[in-house]
Amino acid sequence: MTHTPDAPDVTPPTRISGPVDEAELPALRRRIQIVLIVTQILGGLGIAIGVALAAVLARDVSGTEALSGLASTATVAGPALLAMPLAALMASRGRRAGLVLAYLLGALGAGVVVLGAAVGSFPLLLVGLVGFGAGSSANLAARFAAADLAEPDHRARAISTVVWATTIGAVLGPNIAAPAGKSVSGLGIPATAGPFVWAAGVFVVSAVVVALLLRPDPLLTARALAASESGAAPEGRSLRAGLRAVRESSRARLALVTVAASHTAMVSIMSMTPVALTHHGADIQLIGLVISGHIAGMYAFSPVMGWLSDRLGRLSVIGLAVGLIGVAALVAGTAGSSHGQTALGLFLLGLGWSAGLVSGSALLTDSVPQEARAAVQGLSDFVMNTAAGLGGLAAGVIVSQAGYGPLTAVAACLLLPMAALAVRGAVREA
């Protein structure tokens, strides 16, 4: 029996009874996109509430600024550690199972962060931040869920629409960090840990929405459609097959470098900006505004990046990402005590990240066979978050030893391999 968009999903999560009819696909795409948009808003809110003050909280609990960069390292370590197991789970049971698990781990991690802050344990705080970062895994994986059933010439726009949805929650999150902090007054919890209490609740709601409404599963549906068209059961879903698919495609390798370099440069600079702002007298509210502007750059203009990527090509938008992140590093790194210039630099940094993520994710999906996509996409998230974790760790050391300006210069140098591969790819296509 064929699933319809309005029929309940009564089949086991590991399979669907058959591909949907061609006439049903547009309605199914809309349903899945709406569910993903709702969860992106909620997930973006939960992530942004905590990230806004993670470095400050780490500094306060550890008692030293040199260790504050470990906060961003821990939050991206969560997605890095979860990426491959999450990809394996999605490859076998679909997007829904993976997204629910990631959101629940994020909620658990946020609770451990609160406990670590309350008892003053820096190691416990870091463990919690690792778990909290799992919520980011869900929001990152959702962009690929949007691409599962998208038409190839609209794939970047499908990805960018879901990325854009994060704007609402992500921009709101840092600005409610102060009220969230006040809400725990009298409970023995530091104000800077209050946002993580709220984040835990938001992640739980996100998990419930996905579990109930992301039906039928987009990845399993796309796989059934591909099998129906080819007349054979798909093979090569393992992580080893995903690695092989990347080795065999230069475009897939460029896509991996693009998302990793863009994300690492962004995380390295963004994570230490709140600390740099405090050096120049900024309070929590001002930090929240600067981070909100940065997050607006990351997400609000992603539909533009998707449209450009579909119309002008993936390589053109990768080049745009290199330019934007490079300019952002220059503007932010030379801002000094000018909070307005720092805000502008962070906004441009967000735009560059958006261009790199959307174009790189679309190129990656384009470049590998359908049956290997879940594994390759998991590999992409593993690489980007591992690289960003190392970048965040180095960022704290660089700022404590040399300053914020040198950090932005080092981050800009990460763009060189990305630019070289993009130029090489453009020459090959010319």
Side-chain angles (χ1 to χ4, degrees):
M1 180 177 178
T2 300
H3 281 292
T4 66
D6 298 320
D9 184 6
V10 295
T11 58
T14 55
R15 64 184 186 275
I16 62 173
S17 58
V20 297
D21 294 333
E22 188 70 25
E24 298 172 326
L25 274 176
L28 179 56
R29 290 186 185 114
R30 287 193 296 271
R31 280 191 59 205
I32 289 173
Q33 190 170 69
I34 289 171
V35 174
L36 292 174
I37 286 172
V38 171
T39 57
Q40 286 293 96
I41 292 172
L42 293 171
L45 176 62
I47 294 164
I49 291 175
V51 166
L53 294 177
V56 177
L57 177 61
R59 182 194 62 186
D60 292 346
V61 174
S62 68
T64 173
E65 193 170 278
L67 295 178
S68 59
L70 287 175
S72 63
T73 300
T75 55
V76 296
L81 293 172
L82 188 61
M84 302 307 279
L86 194 63
L89 177 62
M90 288 184 177
S92 63
R93 297 183 63 85
R95 301 290 185 193
R96 185 167 62 248
L99 293 177
V100 168
L101 175 63
Y103 279 129
L104 291 180
L105 288 175
L108 177 63
V112 175
V113 168
V114 174
L115 177 61
V119 301
S121 171
F122 186 63
L124 189 60
L125 176 73
L126 292 180
V127 170
L129 286 172
V130 170
F132 172 77
S136 298
S137 296
N139 270 35
L140 287 171
R143 76 190 191 277
F144 291 124
D148 285 332
L149 293 173
E151 297 170 304
D153 58 350
H154 289 84
R155 188 168 285 145
R157 274 170 278 189
I159 292 172
S160 65
T161 298
V162 171
V163 172
W164 168 85
T166 311
T167 308
I168 300 173
V171 173
L172 180 62
N175 289 293
I176 64 174
K182 293 179 182 178
S183 70
V184 298
S185 61
L187 299 178
I189 300 173
T192 47
F196 290 92
V197 176
W198 289 28
V202 170
F203 284 151
V204 169
V205 173
S206 300
V208 171
V209 171
V210 170
L212 295 180
L213 301 180
L214 195 66
R215 298 170 181 270
D217 189 280
L219 177 60
L220 300 183
T221 302
R223 187 175 292 161
L225 286 168
S228 176
E229 291 173 359
S230 65
E235 299 179 354
R237 299 176 189 169
S238 69
L239 298 179
R240 182 177 297 178
L243 288 169
R244 183 170 60 250
V246 171
R247 286 198 303 268
E248 294 173 352
S249 172
S250 60
R251 290 170 64 85
R253 293 194 295 273
L254 168 59
L256 281 176
V257 172
T258 295
V259 295
S262 300
H263 194 58
T264 303
M266 184 277 291
V267 168
S268 299
I269 296 174
M270 181 273 292
S271 64
M272 297 310 298
T273 298
V275 175
L277 285 170
T278 60
H279 289 166
H280 298 288
D283 57 16
I284 289 179
Q285 288 186 333
L286 179 57
I287 292 172
L289 288 173
V290 172
I291 298 300
S292 291
H294 166 67
I295 294 173
M298 290 174 64
Y299 300 115
F301 296 90
S302 58
V304 176
M305 302 304 177
W307 181 83
L308 289 173
S309 187
D310 283 335
R311 291 296 299 272
L312 302 181
R314 317 306 192 208
L315 295 182
S316 297
V317 181
I318 289 174
L320 177 62
V322 172
L324 286 170
I325 296 174
V327 171
L330 176 63
V331 172
T334 59
S337 60
S338 174
H339 296 153
Q341 185 173 332
T342 300
L344 175 60
L346 267 288
F347 175 74
L348 294 173
L349 181 66
L351 286 179
W353 176 88
S354 179
L357 184 76
V358 170
S359 59
S361 299
L363 180 63
L364 184 69
T365 305
D366 294 341
S367 304
V368 297
Q370 197 282 332
E371 62 270 16
R373 284 177 185 166
V376 172
Q377 290 160 353
L379 176 64
S380 171
D381 285 348
F382 170 76
V383 171
M384 70 183 282
N385 285 298
T386 299
L390 295 174
L393 177 62
V397 176
I398 292 172
V399 168
S400 65
Q401 299 297 318
Y404 183 68
L407 168 65
T408 63
V410 171
C413 291
L414 298 175
L415 305 172
L416 296 176
M418 172 178 160
L421 288 174
V423 169
R424 183 180 180 184
V427 170
R428 285 181 174 178
E429 293 185 3

